[in-house]
Amino acid sequence: MKILLNNKSLFESLRPFNDLGFVPTMGGIHKGHLSLINKSKKLCKKTIVSIFVNPKQFNNKKDLRSYPRNIKKDLKILKESKKVDFVYLPKFKDVYKDKKKSKITLLKKDKILCAKFRSGHFEGVLDVMNKLTKIINPQKIFMGEKDFQQLYLVKKQLERIYKTNVIPCKTIRDKNNVALSSRNFLLNKSSLEIAAKIYKKIVRIKKNIKNKKNISNFLKLQKKELKNNYKIKIDYLELRNIHNLKISNTNKNSRLFIAYYLNNIRLIDNL
Ligand code: AMP
């Protein structure tokens, strides 16, 4: 596993390869990331993982400051997986070397779910994914369905601009079915237990949707109940179509999306 600390070493190392799988991460490596790496290893000759906590996608300074960082531990896990050929650890200037202000704006119809609650977040994500793809030039990019809206927006943008495929990967969960996330490192045991209860509850809500005439009203009530029972702040609980992310009134081709706060940590999931 070769560690690439700047663009010069990246360009030199990647030049011979034209079947490259790319797994972008912000570190805090867990089994969710490893599942993306496994898929890349299966489908591509070489796999490159990036670790870059992109300041431009944080709409909240405190969230950026407290984001889990542990490069040494991350590198150990990646090395022991024996599936990673390259790890790219760029500095800010490597990624944002052309100072051209990028003009990424979300369409009005995309300002939903997390985009509605985290102003500027996806503009930052699309900007960094655009830059990383230009630098790395991978044939395939592996991204998790846990961050479904991110996957949806990035796939739409990158496949229009570059000759690359963005491959969706299933959400990996812990033994209590809580979706793995680097942010879970910031949660204590009792918060994780609440997250497990919330997961169970949203599974039940999703099942019950099919008997409901007015889904939006039903979800409004369920959201209130969740809020009161667990004393949590909920940004959204919405059923949306997986192909266009429009509000859906059937379970068919749809997922239930939730974003909520536990101990000031924002968690998202969809099923
Ligand atoms: P992050 O480091 O949180 O920015 O995530 C990097 C990539 O890993 C993104 O494509 C995420 O969607 C994906 N990912 C994060 N958590 C999971 C999970 N539990 N299962 C599958 N993929 C995940």
Side-chain angles (χ1 to χ4, degrees):
M1 187 177 89
K2 187 162 181 190
I3 295 168
L4 312 169
L5 293 172
N6 54 55
N7 289 1
K8 186 166 173 276
S9 113
L10 177 125
F11 294 140
E12 276 164 14
S13 303
L14 298 189
R15 197 173 300 130
F17 304 111
N18 59 6
D19 184 8
L20 196 59
F22 172 36
V23 179
T25 84
M26 298 207 296
I29 299 294
H30 53 68
K31 286 185 179 148
H33 298 123
L34 292 177
S35 78
L36 272 50
I37 291 167
N38 280 339
K39 199 152 175 179
S40 172
K41 175 81 180 163
K42 275 190 200 129
L43 297 181
C44 304
K45 277 226 173 78
K46 296 283 174 190
T47 291
I48 177 166
V49 175
S50 67
I51 300 179
F52 179 61
V53 181
N54 174 34
K56 294 202 178 188
Q57 72 187 66
F58 284 81
N59 53 316
N60 175 327
K61 288 232 165 69
K62 208 167 143 217
D63 186 25
L64 171 62
R65 267 200 309 274
S66 62
Y67 198 83
R69 293 170 175 83
N70 194 338
I71 281 286
K72 235 171 136 180
K73 186 172 162 213
D74 286 348
L75 290 176
K76 186 168 180 277
I77 300 172
L78 293 176
K79 187 158 186 210
E80 284 170 358
S81 79
K82 297 199 168 78
K83 305 228 159 120
V84 179
D85 301 285
F86 304 102
V87 184
Y88 178 44
L89 305 176
K91 300 268 179 306
F92 184 86
K93 66 173 185 332
D94 291 304
V95 178
Y96 294 102
K97 64 180 174 340
D98 52 349
K99 296 205 174 54
K100 257 194 312 188
K101 260 214 155 26
S102 46
K103 285 189 288 286
I104 290 168
T105 45
L106 287 192
L107 298 174
K108 192 159 169 256
K109 70 177 173 63
D110 289 327
K111 288 191 180 165
I112 52 169
L113 299 170
C114 288
K116 188 168 151 195
F117 292 89
R118 298 186 69 190
S119 160
H121 167 64
F122 286 119
E123 289 83 346
V125 170
L126 290 170
D127 191 16
V128 78
M129 284 307 298
N130 206 355
K131 298 219 152 61
L132 289 173
T133 305
K134 205 166 172 183
I135 293 167
I136 296 174
N137 191 22
Q139 275 59 47
K140 295 189 176 66
I141 303 175
F142 296 84
M143 299 186 75
E145 289 178 346
K146 204 234 2 154
D147 304 278
F148 198 92
Q149 189 179 16
Q150 166 175 281
L151 167 68
Y152 170 87
L153 291 171
V154 169
K155 188 172 170 67
K156 205 161 62 161
Q157 167 174 281
L158 293 186
E159 292 185 351
R160 186 166 45 83
I161 307 178
Y162 300 98
K163 268 199 188 138
T164 190
N165 281 317
V166 176
I167 315 278
C169 302
K170 296 235 157 328
T171 300
I172 305 298
R173 298 174 180 280
D174 71 10
K175 61 177 191 314
N176 297 319
N177 284 319
V178 177
L180 293 181
S181 162
S182 308
R183 286 196 165 87
N184 294 2
F185 293 123
L186 303 171
L187 295 175
N188 58 24
K189 209 173 146 221
S190 78
S191 292
L192 282 169
E193 280 164 9
I194 297 175
K197 286 186 186 155
I198 291 170
Y199 170 82
K200 271 196 192 148
K201 178 73 183 162
I202 55 177
V203 170
R204 246 179 295 139
I205 295 173
K206 176 101 195 276
K207 261 195 200 139
N208 287 337
I209 277 175
K210 63 174 179 297
N211 311 316
K212 302 296 168 208
K213 281 214 176 73
N214 188 334
I215 292 176
S216 136
N217 242 354
F218 170 66
L219 290 177
K220 246 187 223 157
L221 288 173
Q222 295 301 313
K223 187 174 158 193
K224 217 172 184 179
E225 200 180 307
L226 273 169
K227 216 168 103 184
N228 293 337
N229 284 354
Y230 298 107
K231 311 275 173 279
I232 50 172
K233 181 179 156 206
I234 303 178
D235 277 351
Y236 56 76
L237 175 70
E238 289 175 352
L239 187 74
R240 288 188 176 263
N241 181 286
I242 52 170
H243 300 300
N244 53 27
L245 289 188
K246 285 190 179 146
I247 287 282
S248 169
N249 49 23
T250 157
N251 259 344
K252 196 169 167 227
N253 290 328
S254 300
R255 284 183 185 232
L256 183 59
F257 291 85
I258 188 167
Y260 64 98
Y261 287 83
L262 268 183
N263 265 348
N264 289 325
I265 308 299
R266 191 173 189 274
L267 301 177
I268 58 172
D269 201 352
N270 65 85
L271 39 125

